């Protein structure tokens, strides 16, 4: 029935939003070690992407939505979750299957609503309608996350922000190392935005000797390029 399907769809929207918030917390607050990007794990690369986004929040205005938003983010979530759903669907009630179906297909496009919250497609009437209706997270609500870094983690519609924010304060905030607290992150990110240091990766300013090692690596690369090869 329509009321049955409607309730499942609304619950799916809430669960998809909550899931993006919980994943967002993990990606924001996992330290990214000083390393060559090619040596990082896929999870560390995902963390780097989210943390770099705090330094340069407007990167979604020019990013390739199909590659970064759908293929790299959306499908990396969709395929494993779809496989689990396929294995479990016969054992689940119809209501639960419908909820999971909504979670899967809304979650896959979460970076689209996220990019819209940063002003992409700002002139679109459809985007404004989705944001004003509460089906997509509003720019004002998401801007608060970039200002405070300890709230409003959800990037689908923001419905689950009260729950996810409470879980962050209760289970995560007091366990963070000193260099990873929201206050320290705010200081680092705001300073870099003010200096327009968009080339500086997040957290590397907190790594002892980062600038010296970076200069050494750059000078070594230049000397290798300038050095004539043997036999020439």
């Amino acid at each position: 029935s329509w009321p049955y399907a409607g309730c499942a769809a609304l619950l799916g929207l809430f669960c998809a939003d909550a899931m993006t918030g919980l994943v967002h917390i993990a990606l924001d607050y996992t330290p990214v070690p000083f390393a060559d990007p090619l040596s990082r794990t896929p999870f560390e690369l995902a963390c780097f992407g989210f943390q770099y986004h705090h330094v340069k929040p407007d990167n979604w205005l020019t990013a390739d939505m199909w590659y970064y938003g759908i293929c790299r983010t959306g499908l990396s979530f969709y395929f494993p979750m779809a496989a689990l759903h396929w294995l479990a669907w016969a054992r689940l009630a119809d209501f639960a299957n419908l909820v999971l179906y909504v979670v899967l297909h809304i979650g896959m496009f979460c970076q689209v609503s996220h990019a819209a919250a940063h002003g992409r497609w700002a002139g679109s009437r459809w985007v404004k309608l989705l944001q004003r209706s509460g089906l997509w997270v509003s720019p004002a609500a998401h801007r608060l996350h970039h200002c405070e870094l300890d709230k409003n983690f959800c990037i689908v519609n923001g419905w689950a922000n009260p729950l996810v924010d409470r879980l962050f304060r209760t289970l995560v905030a007091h366990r963070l190392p000193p260099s990873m607290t929201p206050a320290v992150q705010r200081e680092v990110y705001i300073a870099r935005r003010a200096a327009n240091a968009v080339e500086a990766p997040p957290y590397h300013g907190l790594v002892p000797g980062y600038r010296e090692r970076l200069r050494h690596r750059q000078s070594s690369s230049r000397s290798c390029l300038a050095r004539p090869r043997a036999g020439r």
Side-chain angles (χ1 to χ4, degrees):
S1 66
W2 283 109
Y4 181 89
C7 290
L10 290 173
L11 181 58
L13 283 168
F14 179 87
C15 291
D17 192 49
M19 183 186 60
T20 65
L22 295 173
V23 171
H24 197 165
I25 289 173
L27 296 176
D28 276 3
Y29 287 98
T30 298
V32 179
F34 180 89
D36 188 302
L38 296 178
S39 68
R40 293 193 178 112
T41 66
F43 180 70
E44 289 173 343
L45 287 172
C47 293
F48 178 89
F50 268 67
Q51 294 164 16
Y52 177 76
H53 174 61
H54 287 161
V55 179
K56 187 172 171 56
D58 60 350
N59 62 337
W60 273 126
L61 297 178
T62 57
D64 183 339
M65 286 302 304
W66 173 251
Y67 178 68
Y68 290 102
I70 307 301
C71 295
R72 287 190 59 173
T73 303
L75 293 180
S76 65
F77 152 79
Y78 180 84
F79 283 129
M81 292 295 293
L84 291 174
H85 188 203
W86 181 79
L87 293 172
W89 75 270
R91 299 177 177 85
L92 298 175
D94 291 342
F95 185 86
N97 278 319
L98 183 53
V99 170
L100 287 173
Y101 182 86
V102 174
V103 169
L104 281 170
H105 292 85
I106 294 297
M108 184 172 70
F109 295 99
C110 65
Q111 292 289 28
V112 177
S113 55
H114 182 198
H118 281 282
R120 189 151 182 173
W121 315 293
S124 169
R125 289 179 294 177
W126 291 105
V127 168
K128 291 178 181 177
L129 178 62
L130 287 167
Q131 291 173 338
R132 289 171 181 169
S133 66
L135 292 176
W136 276 10
V137 64
S138 70
H142 189 62
R143 192 179 302 118
L144 187 60
H145 170 73
H146 280 267
C147 292
E148 301 295 335
L149 302 179
D150 60 356
K151 56 175 63 72
N152 288 18
F153 293 95
C154 302
I155 57 174
V156 173
N157 48 41
W159 296 357
N161 272 327
L163 172 63
V164 173
D165 292 352
R166 186 174 183 86
L167 290 174
F168 175 77
R169 291 192 300 268
T170 305
L171 302 177
V172 178
H174 64 283
R175 291 186 170 92
L176 294 173
S179 64
M180 295 291 293
T181 63
V184 170
Q185 290 196 47
R186 283 196 297 271
E187 181 180 350
V188 171
Y189 292 143
I190 291 172
R192 285 185 178 152
R193 288 177 206 161
N196 197 28
V198 296
E199 78 287 349
Y203 298 127
H204 284 169
L206 303 176
V207 177
Y210 164 70
R211 294 187 181 279
E212 288 71 20
R213 280 186 283 176
L214 179 61
R215 278 196 289 267
H216 174 72
R217 188 168 65 174
Q218 290 173 337
S219 62
S220 299
S221 299
R222 284 193 293 268
S223 63
C224 289
L225 290 173
R227 188 182 305 147
R229 293 183 182 181
R232 289 192 177 184

